[in-house]
């Protein structure tokens, strides 16, 4: 069960309640101002990430190997889009769980990421066979 959608509103209500009991209306206004600032910071970050992603091709990343090394289980989709500076190429039907996206680099290596509930649960790096089988130059 996803407790975040219940804990955050409950925490906000507790915070507003404590502010009311301690300082009255000025406390409620101070907490409200802090919450508005928090929401604006998140909105600004989202807009910056989407603006950077809009400047690049869908599903493109500089290095799939480096992306693979930086990924961690549990990060959200916006965090991955911020790392790649590109929207992922959708691999699953729209609106269905799990959401699967792919990012490909210039060598045709690609990372396929699976998100459940907006959080990364699995990812896989695939490198082309031709590059792996090429003999090393001496």
């Amino acid at each position: 069960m996803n407790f975040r959608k219940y804990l955050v509103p409950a925490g906000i209500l507790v915070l507003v309640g404590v502010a009311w009991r301690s300082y009255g209306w000025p406390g409620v206004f101070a907490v409200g101002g802090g919450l508005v600032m928090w929401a604006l910071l998140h909105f600004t970050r989202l807009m910056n990430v989407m603006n950077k992603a809009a400047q690049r091709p869908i599903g493109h990343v500089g290095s799939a190997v480096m992306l693979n090394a930086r990924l961690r289980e549990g990060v959200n989709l916006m965090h991955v889009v911020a790392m790649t500076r590109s929207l992922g190429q959708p691999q699953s039907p729209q609106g269905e769980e799990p959401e699967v996206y792919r990012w490909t680099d210039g060598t045709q290596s690609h990372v396929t990421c699976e998100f459940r509930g907006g959080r990364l649960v699995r990812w896989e790096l695939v490198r082309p066979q031709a590059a792996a089988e090429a003999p090393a130059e001496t």
Side-chain angles (χ1 to χ4, degrees):
M1 186 170 176
N2 188 358
F3 289 109
R4 277 189 196 152
K5 63 182 177 181
Y6 300 114
L7 286 179
V8 171
I12 290 171
L13 288 175
V14 167
L15 194 60
V16 169
V18 169
W20 170 259
R21 295 222 0 121
S22 299
Y23 300 105
W25 282 112
V28 172
F29 290 141
V31 168
L35 291 172
V36 167
M37 180 61 79
W38 177 72
L40 287 172
L41 286 171
H42 282 282
F43 179 76
T44 301
R45 179 170 185 251
L46 175 66
M47 290 297 107
N48 284 334
V49 167
M50 289 295 120
N51 188 29
K52 289 177 184 176
Q55 305 301 319
R56 300 213 26 203
I58 291 178
H60 178 75
V61 67
S63 172
V65 175
M66 290 304 295
L67 174 61
N68 180 58
R70 293 177 62 195
L71 289 174
R72 298 288 174 256
E73 188 172 336
V75 298
N76 60 20
L77 179 58
M78 187 179 83
H79 185 80
V80 176
V81 170
M83 279 194 298
T84 62
R85 295 189 182 120
S86 170
L87 297 174
Q89 180 69 40
Q91 302 295 308
S92 60
Q94 185 176 5
E96 290 186 15
E97 288 284 329
E99 295 177 303
V100 180
Y101 295 97
R102 177 177 290 167
W103 284 271
T104 307
D105 66 8
T107 65
Q108 299 308 311
S109 298
H110 62 268
V111 176
T112 304
C113 299
E114 180 179 316
F115 296 87
R116 289 185 192 274
R119 300 279 176 182
L120 183 64
V121 292
R122 283 183 348 108
W123 67 94
E124 178 184 12
L125 170 68
V126 176
R127 299 180 84 180
Q129 290 294 344
E133 294 175 1
E137 293 183 29
T138 56

